[in-house]
Structures are given as structure tokens and as C-alpha cells.
Amino acid sequence: MIETYLEDWDFEIMFAENGRETIDNAKEFKPDLILLDMKMPEMDGYEASEIMNNDSELQDIPVVAITASALKQDEDIISKLCDGYLRKPISKSVLVYELMRFLPHKVKDKIEETT
């Protein structure tokens, strides 16, 4: 769904199956932003974000957590590990707002002509 929301923009999107692959991809490709699902096989987003926070190569890459959890304790942990937080289901407007917090962008002014 997120990929569909972003198809109108010129983003290069990469996918990872698990936290280990996320870390490996981040080291190799140095992305501008990581959207990180907190529930993944092999290595979850909690462990992956902790590793990235302690890695000098990766710690400056913004990480936005994605989770279906509504538990306050999970939200508290995520806010310490990640730069942003999105709760599933994610709306397009909330996703775009969160991306705008971390990625360079321009907002076009809409000028209306009055005659």
C-alpha cells in the first residue's frame, strides 16, 4: 500500500524481508530514509533500529517505525529508537506528512488569479 501511495513521486524504493537485510541494504546504499516495520521475521524492527542507532555509518539515517501496535509501552520504546512513528493502517496524507519531516522538498504555492 505504501508503494502505491508513493508512485506519483520520483522515489527509489527498496524492500527488505527482515531487519538483517534492512541493515545490510542501509550500509550498502545509504538511503535518505528508512520506513521500518517493527514486526519482521529473523530480526524485528526493534533490534534493527537499535543496531542502526549504534552504528556510526547508519545512525544519521532517519528511521520511521511502522507498526500495528496501539500499546503505549510499545510507542514509548519506538519513540526512543526511531525518529518517527506511523501506526497501521497508514493514510496517504499521514505518510506524506511524515516523509516531509525528513526529506528535502518544495511546496508549490497555488496562486489564484482574481479578475
Side-chain angles (χ1 to χ4, degrees):
M1 181 169 25
I2 291 173
E3 183 179 18
T4 302
Y5 287 163
L6 300 176
E7 68 188 5
D8 293 334
W9 289 286
D10 190 25
F11 288 112
E12 184 176 335
I13 300 173
M14 298 176 61
F15 295 93
E17 295 291 321
N18 56 58
R20 172 61 48 211
E21 190 175 323
T22 300
I23 292 167
D24 292 343
N25 285 348
K27 285 184 178 189
E28 184 175 348
F29 299 104
K30 305 292 189 280
D32 296 319
L33 175 79
I34 296 173
L35 296 173
L36 184 64
D37 198 324
M38 300 312 281
K39 303 286 185 194
M40 294 183 288
E42 189 177 322
M43 178 190 290
D44 65 21
Y46 295 93
E47 187 177 353
S49 59
E50 193 167 340
I51 289 169
M52 288 187 286
N53 283 333
N54 292 310
D55 186 316
S56 61
E57 284 183 82
L58 306 177
Q59 62 190 8
D60 292 331
I61 300 171
V63 176
V64 176
I66 299 174
T67 184
S69 175
L71 298 176
K72 178 69 174 147
Q73 69 187 40
D74 289 342
E75 193 172 318
D76 291 341
I77 293 168
I78 290 169
S79 69
K80 292 175 184 163
L81 292 173
C82 299
D83 302 294
Y85 177 85
L86 294 170
R87 185 176 291 121
K88 293 177 186 178
I90 301 167
S91 71
K92 184 175 184 177
S93 61
V94 170
L95 173 64
V96 169
Y97 176 79
E98 193 68 8
L99 294 177
M100 288 173 62
R101 289 182 54 217
F102 300 102
L103 299 176
H105 62 282
K106 293 180 185 176
V107 178
K108 292 182 181 180
D109 288 331
K110 203 175 200 180
I111 300 173
E112 294 183 30
E113 288 185 33
T114 55
T115 57

